[in-house]
Amino acid sequence: MKSIILSFAVVTLASACSSGGSTGGSGTPTPGPQGGPPTTPEIDDRPASRAEASRFLARATFGPTDEGIDAVMQSGYRAWIDAQIAMPATLTAEQIAAGLCVVELESEENECSEEQLEEGTVTASDRRARLWWESAVWAPDQLRQRVAFALSEIFVVSVNGALGDLAYTAGTYSDMLASNAFGSYRTLLEDVTLHPAMGIYLSMVKNRKPDPVENTRPDENYAREIMQLFSIGLVELEADGRVRLDGNGQPIPTYDQSVIVGMAHALTGWNFREASDANLEDWLDARETVGAMQPSQLFHDTEPKTLVTGQVVPGMRTAEQDLTSVLDLLSTHANVGPFLGKQLIQRLVTSNPSPEYVGRVSAVFADNGQGVRGDLGAVVRAILLDSEAMEGHARSPDTFGKVREPLLCATAMLRAFRADQSVSAAGLIELGESIGQQAYLAPSVFNFFRPDFATAELRSQGLVAPEMQITTHSYSARVANELGFYVFFGSRGAADDEFESPTLNIDREIAMAGDPGALVAHLEELLVGGLLAPETKSALTTYLGTIPADEGEPSRLERALEAIYLVLVSPEFAVQK
Amino acid sequence: MNSRNEFNRRRFLQLGAAGALAMHTSNLLQPFGLKGQGADGQDYRALVCVFLFGGADMFNLFVPRSASEYATYSASRGNLAEPLNSLLPVDSLGAGAAQYGFHGSTAELQQLYQAGDLALVANVGPLVRPLTKDEYLGNAVPVPQHLFSHSDQQVQWQTAHADGPGTTGWGGRMGDLMRALNGATALPPTISLGGSVPMLVGDQVSPYALGPDGPQRLELLGDEDPARRDLFAAMIGSRRHKLEEQVAKVHREAIEIERQLSSELANAQEFTPLFAGTGELGAQLNMVARLISIRANLGVKRQVFFVGQGGYDTHAGQAGQLPLLFRQLSQSLGAFQQALSQMGASQAVTTFTSSDFGRTLSSNGQGSDHGWGSHALVMGGAVQGQRIYGTMPNLTLGGPDEIGEGRLLPTLSVDQYAATLAKWMQLTPAQLGSVFPNLGNFGQQDLGFLA
């Protein structure tokens, strides 16, 4: 029977939150109320300036706002982080599901309301994408959402394949990352491993023991990538993230092919929830893509296996027992702290952290100060409160920071200029298409960019810039054009009547436009953390002064639009510091 | 979805395009003969790398049809085996006794092969030096690092220097040597339609990276508003901050190159009908064709292009996915070769495939896993086609070429494969030695598939 799935009315984020969002994952370690472990050098809790608070918020949120800067100025960094961590997670999957109804094309009966039928062209996958944008731009639990986005670029699933038709499943994966953002790494790794989205994406679902009749052997896909990408990486690391070398000066591989084969066997026997294992055909036919994957002992390999670190586990164990060994071995491996810690620093703060910075974060991963290993909330806190994060722009003025990826350029603009939450965020999906980056749409499990990507020039100087991998000639122009489109066509006052996306509110900037210097200083604080180059600042101020603004509102608007656009396309904005 | 926003976006872009139009007109006023002088399209050569991302299962693209070889293939591949009667038969010149056929969804490849414009290079992979199965199993000879890992083996295919630092690609190192031949254009000799790839990075050159829709103009920052343009030019001038400098440099290059390319492309030949229905890969090759069609106007003599097709990591769903990928590959390559013929460039352009690695012959039930040696395709008028180069591997599990789970030990190195292409680009023996530092480790340095 033919059927199509429709979705309907937009549930605004505000109403969803006020009706009570779910809270974070179970087993969340509770860090102390104030401060990190003693290994983190103390920084002043109060921002020295609004610009400093703005720089902090560029790392800890999807972009600073005037109100956000006010809040950090008032509460100080630690209390702000505490409040953010305590905030319930904004989740999306139930909103994806809530809009779905099924129309039976060859029948009079269907479960859709008139309203749903009218709204019928919105697909579930568009709802999922739109809800991601809504959370990024407007959700109050900004730190959690930003960390979840960072995790989505490490524990990658992409809707560019089989997951494309499973919007709810993909949404629950996103929710799972948000719920675990401040929880235990061991729990996160298990939830990632057993999530049906990952099961589909890296084909662990229906992975089964060797079958002599069919002449098959276990799938190695997840076994390989859980090690290479989600936990320990390819080579042994020092606690500060530097590559450990053997007596011949060579890196030491963390595993070889025999370990991958062993891990692949250990990870056999998992399938979607409620899969029947009455026979192979039924088992392979399972389709319930909601809920954690469940084991079937019938399809689990029960021979002894060599796992990572050379650990041999005996035969005749259950799928759960083997999985526990795999996850325990990986999550306690000495590489995880530096491997994951460095990547989180790169996602939030700077592409080229010093070994000391990585070492401090990795020490917090090993022990949050209360004897707990893998406390991600403590790790995030250590990353954000480290003196290198706070002072890097001054200590290493030529290298500190990271290139803003297109998505973060867009969210920074939308948040800074108070994008109108009452308008459907559907237009933001187009924005993502135009800038060439959409969450959960990486080309492969290797993300949009690799953590060690460098241009030839940077590599020769010992530097990396992961986001430069997608900063191609064409895309850098497209991103600039798209930001210009939003500013000039989407700002309230300038907006085209038919602009179908949340409009920008630039009233504050218009009000300041009488004084070009003040306007530039305001934008400098809000968008670039007070770090416009003096030449840029003076050239921009002079340029704005040539736009006549004394005849009142219309030309003030023009001056404000020009100022905003030009700061958004400046190299200073392109590199978050 | 949101067609009105799309309309507005187009209208917004058209505002900027008015300025671009004025610029084109001024270009037309330049005296004829200044541009492209001495570049009549003679002595032009280009390579086009088609990278099959994820590790393509080429063992199902080119399949034995002779009874004994097919039986071995079928036994090793299990439920991954293509049915004998689905294969598109081809007659290879000078081959041994075995007969082969292309995958059933690749009619264009069959035709190109039979017409002598396509050849197969058998069982290629990254190697430091040749090695036997016993040497491999005994860890007696150095092998590439992190075998069977996507990221590492992609780099090894693109650098053709399996134990090198992985910093420059063989196309980029070639570009360093060839760029002087291209005259004064700002366009680098290496051009990517597949993003930032190590293949095209040299010690001096880095690729121009554009999308299938062509060079993108920076709207609002062009000649239509000189004051704003000049302010932006100052903002993207040389920067002390090293990451800012990289971003600014991309803008500087993009502006200059887009200006030249858009002006030439505006009057370039159109091939779009040829590429109808060929998907993303076809769209990329369509843009490559258009860029090649303006070679004389640009005055360029040597170019290396890179395009990519993703989706080949078929651990699961191989039976459903692979035919679709192969169909798109076949249709895209067929259309591209036709476009080259139409512009009289079929002898001047050689297209070749690369991929992360071959795949396991054995099945994991739903697909195949990461392997090592794999087949590659070379296409073009200069290719000595309808032939198999190298030695077809023995597909027996546990046989002399297999090193576990159906992975094949390569018998030809990427270095040999790439050096054959580079030699055709007229690099001297000394230059080949510098571009391929390990080439001396391998006996046959010209595999002979290019005249």
Side-chain angles (χ1 to χ4, degrees), chain A residues 101-367:
Chain A
C101 62
V102 175
V103 183
E104 304 297 346
L105 289 183
E106 291 163 8
S107 157
E108 291 291 302
E109 295 171 29
N110 67 65
E111 55 180 77
C112 299
S113 67
E114 287 300 313
E115 195 182 7
Q116 283 173 309
L117 290 170
E118 275 177 30
E119 182 85 21
T121 54
V122 180
T123 65
S125 122
D126 280 352
R127 292 176 67 84
R128 185 201 55 74
R130 197 195 68 219
L131 286 161
W132 182 87
W133 279 102
E134 289 185 358
S135 304
V137 178
W138 295 295
D141 53 333
Q142 278 284 304
L143 179 59
R144 184 186 294 276
Q145 296 296 330
R146 176 74 191 264
V147 172
F149 177 56
L151 293 174
S152 81
E153 298 199 304
I154 299 171
F155 302 87
V156 176
V157 300
S158 175
V159 298
N160 68 353
L163 266 182
D165 297 328
L166 298 169
Y168 179 77
T169 303
T172 59
Y173 188 83
S174 168
D175 287 353
M176 180 274 293
L177 293 184
S179 298
N180 281 313
F182 307 130
S184 135
Y185 170 76
R186 172 68 173 74
T187 304
L188 172 67
L189 194 63
E190 179 161 342
D191 288 355
V192 163
T193 301
L194 294 182
H195 198 283
M198 184 58 82
I200 292 165
Y201 190 56
L202 291 185
S203 60
M204 186 170 128
V205 69
K206 303 176 186 178
N207 182 25
R208 60 196 167 99
K209 67 182 179 185
D211 182 336
V213 177
E214 295 271 326
N215 188 23
T216 66
R217 51 168 181 76
D219 184 328
E220 297 171 356
N221 198 12
Y222 192 69
R224 179 183 303 279
E225 309 307 0
I226 190 179
M227 293 195 284
Q228 182 171 347
L229 299 173
F230 302 162
S231 58
I232 62 174
L234 288 166
V235 295
E236 290 189 11
L237 302 174
E238 304 289 351
D240 63 10
R242 284 182 291 198
V243 173
R244 182 173 290 167
L245 302 176
D246 66 13
N248 299 320
Q250 294 301 308
I252 306 159
T254 43
Y255 53 84
D256 64 13
Q257 183 58 33
S258 72
V259 169
I260 289 182
V261 170
M263 299 281 273
H265 283 71
L267 294 171
T268 49
W270 294 87
N271 203 342
F272 297 129
R273 202 180 57 178
E274 293 165 16
S276 159
D277 61 3
N279 58 56
L280 179 60
E281 200 177 326
D282 282 359
W283 197 67
L284 292 178
D285 198 42
R287 287 167 195 201
E288 175 61 62
T289 59
V290 174
M293 293 195 291
Q294 302 287 329
S296 162
Q297 308 312 330
L298 283 177
F299 297 105
H300 178 67
D301 180 72
T302 51
E303 296 296 312
K305 305 154 184 100
T306 303
L307 303 182
V308 68
T309 69
Q311 176 86 36
V312 177
V313 295
M316 302 312 291
R317 302 204 314 165
T318 64
E320 293 97 321
Q321 286 172 321
D322 277 352
L323 178 71
T324 299
S325 293
V326 165
L327 297 175
D328 286 348
L329 283 167
L330 289 175
S331 61
T332 56
H333 192 289
N335 266 32
V336 183
F339 182 76
L340 185 71
K342 182 173 179 181
Q343 286 189 70
L344 284 172
I345 293 172
Q346 288 184 311
R347 296 293 96 255
L348 301 177
V349 181
T350 183
S351 297
N352 297 283
S354 71
E356 293 75 20
Y357 185 7
V358 176
R360 290 189 290 270
V361 169
S362 149
V364 172
F365 183 90
D367 181 349

Side-chain angles (χ1 to χ4, degrees), chain A residues 53-70:
Chain A
S54 171
R55 292 195 294 274
F56 170 81
L57 289 170
R59 302 170 199 129
T61 71
F62 277 100
T65 61
D66 288 327
E67 297 72 18
I69 294 171
D70 292 341

Side-chain angles (χ1 to χ4, degrees), chain B residues 128-371:
Chain B
V128 178
R129 61 182 62 171
L131 76 168
T132 65
K133 180 173 174 176
D134 285 345
E135 285 171 328
Y136 172 75
L137 295 176
N139 294 318
V141 172
V143 297
Q145 285 257 310
H146 308 305
L147 281 171
F148 325 126
S149 143
H150 284 292
S151 48
D152 294 84
Q153 303 230 258
Q154 278 177 11
V155 168
Q156 288 158 12
W157 264 93
Q158 294 184 32
T159 58
H161 188 189
D163 59 348
T167 48
T168 60
W170 67 269
R173 295 194 297 272
M174 241 179 16
D176 287 341
L177 298 169
M178 302 181 314
R179 65 178 175 154
L181 296 173
N182 283 359
T185 179
L187 184 68
T190 60
I191 299 172
S192 178
L193 278 289
S196 303
V197 287
M199 162 95 184
L200 300 184
V201 176
D203 288 310
Q204 283 102 45
V205 305
S206 58
Y208 178 64
L210 75 169
D213 45 358
Q216 293 293 311
R217 184 167 186 277
L218 257 179
E219 307 299 339
L220 303 173
L221 295 167
D223 295 337
E224 62 276 9
D225 190 332
R228 200 196 285 128
R229 176 199 64 196
D230 293 348
L231 172 67
F232 187 66
M235 281 165 56
I236 60 168
S238 175
R239 288 265 157 179
R240 274 196 50 170
H241 192 288
K242 295 182 192 309
L243 303 188
E244 285 183 7
E245 168 58 15
Q246 294 302 302
V247 172
K249 183 168 166 254
V250 168
H251 275 312
R252 295 197 297 267
E253 293 170 351
I255 290 170
E256 189 173 356
I257 295 169
E258 185 275 333
R259 190 168 298 199
Q260 186 178 19
L261 286 186
S262 294
S263 130
E264 297 295 349
L265 285 174
N267 304 311
Q269 207 172 336
E270 274 290 348
F271 305 102
T272 304
L274 288 178
F275 288 93
T278 57
E280 211 170 307
L281 177 62
Q284 293 176 48
L285 284 169
N286 186 3
M287 182 47 62
V288 172
R290 296 190 71 211
L291 290 169
I292 290 174
S293 77
I294 57 171
R295 61 198 181 283
N297 297 352
L298 296 172
V300 295
K301 304 248 179 190
R302 297 285 184 278
Q303 291 184 304
V304 184
F305 295 92
F306 185 103
V307 298
Q309 184 192 18
Y312 280 102
D313 195 20
T314 49
H315 292 278
Q318 172 157 328
Q321 196 59 23
L322 203 54
L324 302 177
L325 292 167
F326 281 164
R327 175 172 296 127
Q328 192 187 83
L329 174 66
S330 175
Q331 291 177 344
S332 301
L333 289 180
F336 185 58
Q337 198 56 36
Q338 274 194 51
L340 292 173
S341 294
Q342 284 186 10
M343 68 174 98
S346 57
Q347 295 287 327
V349 179
T350 298
T351 305
F352 64 97
T353 66
S354 300
S355 189
D356 310 21
F357 35 59
R359 300 195 76 82
T360 58
L361 294 171
S362 64
S363 168
N364 65 31
Q366 305 179 81
S368 55
D369 291 326
H370 304 180

Side-chain angles (χ1 to χ4, degrees), chain A residues 476-531:
Chain A
S476 60
R478 286 178 74 152
V479 173
N481 290 346
E482 199 59 25
L483 298 179
F485 174 67
Y486 265 75
V487 172
F488 286 101
F489 269 63
S491 291
R492 212 167 74 195
D496 195 290
D497 288 345
E498 296 182 335
F499 187 77
E500 282 208 340
S501 212
T503 49
L504 306 180
N505 175 345
I506 61 164
D507 292 351
R508 194 171 300 187
E509 289 71 26
I510 294 170
M512 288 178 164
D515 178 352
L519 177 59
V520 171
H522 161 73
L523 294 173
E524 181 191 25
E525 174 188 295
L526 188 58
L527 294 173
V528 291
L531 296 175

